[in-house]
Amino acid sequence: MDVFVIGITGGIGGLLARKLLSRGDAVHGLVRREDQQAELASLGVNTRVGDLSGMTVEQLATAFGDVDVIVFSAGSNGGSREVTTAVDGEGVVKAIEAARLAGVERFVLVSVLPESWRERDLPDEVEYYFAVKKGADIAVSRSDLNWLILRPSLLLDGPGTGTVSLGPAEFHGQIARDDVAATLAELLHEPRIGRQILELDSGSTPIDEAVRANVRS
């Protein structure tokens, strides 16, 4: 499988790249700097240097090339409104259009659970972040692509457990980025899952079993 990862230098994107490479998949990605390109090349990842916010749809489609699936895992993490708009909002719309232009049908978006941090008094920038992420979910779900939206709980560093809770609706808890990446890798290798929104939390079900349980009959 050929996979293009937008956000390959991020926490989830980097872990996903390594897991896919270990499966024998070809991994491609977009980086901003040449030193990042050299580092990923040493792992066997083919990258293109470019800034998502400044690229045209045509340039991004050219970067995608003839891959099997695009994973959008980039995000501003509630930073400035300008960055959130450019990456989490306009960036997703641009990637959808570029995927269509490149002829890539499968598109996977890493989003957030709508309930995230609802127990907190959030700054305006973070509230804006959640609103933009919701808009991106809508844009993906209304596209004609073979899409999948994955909404993980609060992300943690550290080793994963290899077990999760995955389904159309999950409680908001916390989960290791390593388990999110492992779940993504498993989902990418399950072609029967598509045009679905899945939520992901820590749990007791082995990842491969959790993914198979969400295959529609």
Side-chain angles (χ1 to χ4, degrees), residues 53-77:
S53 61
M55 298 175 76
T56 66
V57 170
E58 292 76 15
Q59 289 171 331
L60 189 56
T62 299
F64 289 161
D66 187 24
V67 297
D68 300 309
V69 57
I70 295 159
V71 178
F72 193 108
S73 65
S76 68
N77 297 318

Side-chain angles (χ1 to χ4, degrees), residues 23-192:
R23 287 173 173 254
D25 297 319
V27 182
H28 314 264
L30 186 68
V31 297
R32 290 186 176 182
R33 305 191 310 270
E34 291 184 357
D35 62 312
Q36 295 171 322
Q37 186 176 43
E39 180 181 354
L40 287 168
S42 69
L43 300 175
V45 178
N46 177 36
T47 58
R48 296 287 295 269
V49 177
D51 185 347
L52 176 64
S53 61
M55 298 175 76
T56 66
V57 170
E58 292 76 15
Q59 289 171 331
L60 189 56
T62 299
F64 289 161
D66 187 24
V67 297
D68 300 309
V69 57
I70 295 159
V71 178
F72 193 108
S73 65
S76 68
N77 297 318
S80 71
R81 289 193 174 212
E82 292 77 14
V83 175
T84 296
T85 299
V87 176
D88 301 278
E90 295 171 355
V92 173
V93 173
K94 185 185 297 182
I96 293 170
E97 295 173 356
R100 189 180 295 114
L101 183 61
V104 182
E105 293 185 358
R106 291 187 74 193
F107 189 97
V108 178
L109 174 67
V110 180
S111 187
V112 295
L113 274 166
E115 299 87 357
S116 298
W117 290 1
R118 292 299 95 188
E119 75 281 4
R120 306 186 188 190
D121 184 14
L122 299 177
D124 290 343
E125 290 78 8
V126 179
E127 290 284 7
Y128 181 74
Y129 167 76
F130 284 121
V132 171
K133 296 294 279 190
K134 181 66 173 183
D137 286 0
I138 293 170
V140 170
S141 68
R142 290 179 177 175
S143 75
D144 57 356
L145 301 175
N146 180 14
W147 55 268
L148 173 66
I149 297 171
L150 183 66
R151 295 172 170 170
S153 288
L154 178 66
L155 299 172
L156 302 176
D157 292 321
T161 63
T163 61
V164 298
S165 186
L166 177 72
E170 297 290 339
F171 286 109
H172 177 250
Q174 56 188 28
I175 188 168
R177 287 179 173 84
D178 188 64
D179 282 332
V180 178
T183 303
L184 276 169
E186 197 69 33
L187 285 166
L188 291 172
H189 281 267
E190 180 44 82
R192 294 174 294 175

